[in-house]
Amino acid sequence: MTATLIDGKAFAAKVRGQVAEHVARLKQDHGITPGLAVVLVGEDPASQVYVRSKGKQTVEVGMNSFEHKLEADTSEADLLALIDQLNNDPAVHGILVQLPLPKHLDEDLVINSIAPEKDVDGFHISNVGLLGTGQKSMVPCTPLGCLMMLRDHHGSLSGMDAVVIGRSNIVGKPMAQLLLGDSCTVTIAHSRTKDLPDVVRRADIVVAAVGRPEMVPGDWIKEGATVIDVGINRIERDGKNVLVGDVDFASAAERAGAITPVPGGVGPMTIACLLANTVTACCRANNLAEPEGLTA
Ligand code: NAD
């Protein structure tokens, strides 16, 4: 392997440390404790694991964690009433509704009922619009984590050719907006892109967010490019369950200048950025200076 490994696990620990320091200052100087409310509807096993992990890390950095677990058959009216209550609760600075929601609930309606300034996932239509127009917003956690790692590795991203593979609202589109905001020349590739290998070969920065195990082989990667692999795919290999990304790590690491592993790359950054967004939301709510380096 010739590429530099971008260690998301270590980076996430550093971000959590910065968040914890800021939380301690908020408590000491202003008597304020940031609070994150997480709402889980139903019993999806993966969602339960995420919510537990989010709650644990929230408490570890010194913030208040409010968990709301609702039955799978909760009505839309009851869920919206809970969100309204959280919107109006001054102890709650961030609200996250764990997705996916059960089928009978309208995800867009639910997300857009969260007060935009408490929408720490950055999925509210107001935050999407603010990000798209280069204004201060809450930024989706996974792309924010990718941006932090890219800035840390490169310093300035200005003028670089970036390709984002995937156009989801959660990762691909906000990632492209953030790279554009940092003055990259951005291409968004997707399932209908005509010659994906050719598009990827031109990129100084490749962000893969597709959800297809190891679909990007090393020979698509330009020599020296930086590869950020967002994909999390569970596959069976040699009789064992393993996690792999959207990039074929072994071959890509021979050509890339820097690359994130899976696991231990983008994954740990996502919750760290959720905590960062919560402390940012708390500072904004109280007209206090935001923590440096933890926002876009
Ligand atoms: P999604 O299914 O919503 O979107 C996938 C995108 O990939 C689509 O826009 C589609 O056009 C594109 N695509 C599909 N097939 C393609 C192909 N053959 N060539 C090019 N593009 C193709 O997925 P998502 O929510 O954006 O997530 C993508 C991946 O990232 C998944 O593996 C998911 O598990 C992972 N993810 C990781 C984190 C994290 O914290 N690390 C967070 C969110 C998502």
Side-chain angles (χ1 to χ4, degrees):
M1 167 169 161
T2 53
T4 300
L5 196 72
I6 300 179
D7 185 346
K9 206 172 159 195
F11 200 107
K14 188 174 133 194
V15 171
R16 287 196 303 274
Q18 288 171 283
V19 170
E21 272 174 33
H22 212 85
V23 170
R25 269 202 300 278
L26 282 170
K27 283 186 189 177
Q28 196 181 321
D29 299 347
H30 305 280
I32 300 167
T33 304
L36 172 64
V38 177
V39 180
L40 173 65
V41 187
E43 285 169 6
D44 177 64
S47 294
Q48 284 179 327
V49 172
Y50 290 138
V51 166
R52 246 197 318 276
S53 188
K54 284 167 187 171
K56 186 168 165 273
Q57 294 190 33
T58 302
V59 171
E60 278 170 4
V61 295
M63 303 200 288
N64 288 328
S65 167
F66 308 103
E67 278 183 30
H68 295 268
K69 292 185 178 158
L70 307 181
E71 299 294 328
D73 61 356
T74 297
S75 72
E76 202 160 82
D78 284 349
L79 177 57
L80 294 178
L82 171 62
I83 291 173
D84 188 50
Q85 181 199 315
L86 297 172
N87 283 343
N88 290 300
D89 183 343
V92 172
H93 304 97
I95 303 170
L96 179 149
V97 176
Q98 185 65 44
L99 302 178
L101 287 171
K103 291 274 173 288
H104 68 285
L105 299 169
D106 179 342
E107 266 183 19
D108 287 338
L109 179 74
V110 170
I111 296 304
N112 289 325
S113 71
I114 298 172
E117 63 278 11
K118 294 191 180 189
D119 165 41
V120 280
D121 250 344
F123 298 158
H124 190 289
I125 193 74
S126 296
N127 283 316
V128 176
L130 290 167
L131 178 62
T133 49
Q135 301 178 68
K136 196 186 264 193
S137 64
M138 295 308 305
V139 177
C141 305
T142 300
L144 178 58
C146 297
L147 182 76
M148 282 184 188
M149 290 193 287
L150 284 166
R151 282 179 177 170
D152 183 67
H153 184 73
H154 286 283
S156 169
L157 307 181
S158 180
M160 296 180 86
D161 280 319
V163 169
V164 180
I165 318 175
R167 56 175 160 183
S168 72
N169 291 336
I170 294 174
V171 189
K173 283 185 204 153
M175 186 74 245
Q177 293 287 5
L178 288 171
L179 291 166
L180 198 57
D182 270 28
S183 300
C184 291
T185 302
V186 184
T187 304
I188 306 179
H190 46 78
S191 52
R192 304 293 172 90
T193 295
K194 271 195 194 137
D195 188 346
L196 187 59
D198 184 56
V199 170
V200 175
R201 280 190 189 112
R202 283 186 260 132
D204 305 311
I205 293 171
V206 180
V207 181
V210 181
R212 287 179 173 239
E214 301 173 331
M215 71 161 277
V216 178
D219 71 356
W220 290 10
I221 304 297
K222 178 170 145 180
E223 284 287 345
T226 299
V227 178
I228 305 290
D229 192 350
V230 182
I232 301 177
N233 308 290
R234 217 168 280 278
I235 61 162
E236 204 183 298
R237 178 166 287 158
D238 304 329
K240 284 187 196 149
N241 277 324
V242 291
L243 284 186
V244 298
D246 291 342
V247 177
D248 177 38
F249 182 85
S251 60
E254 293 304 324
R255 289 174 67 91
I259 188 166
T260 58
V262 177
V266 177
M269 286 298 288
T270 297
I271 299 186
C273 287
L274 173 69
L275 305 176
N277 276 350
T278 305
V279 84
T280 298
C282 177
C283 292
R284 288 180 187 169
N286 290 285
N287 287 320
L288 295 168
E290 292 174 21
E292 263 177 48
L294 295 182
T295 47

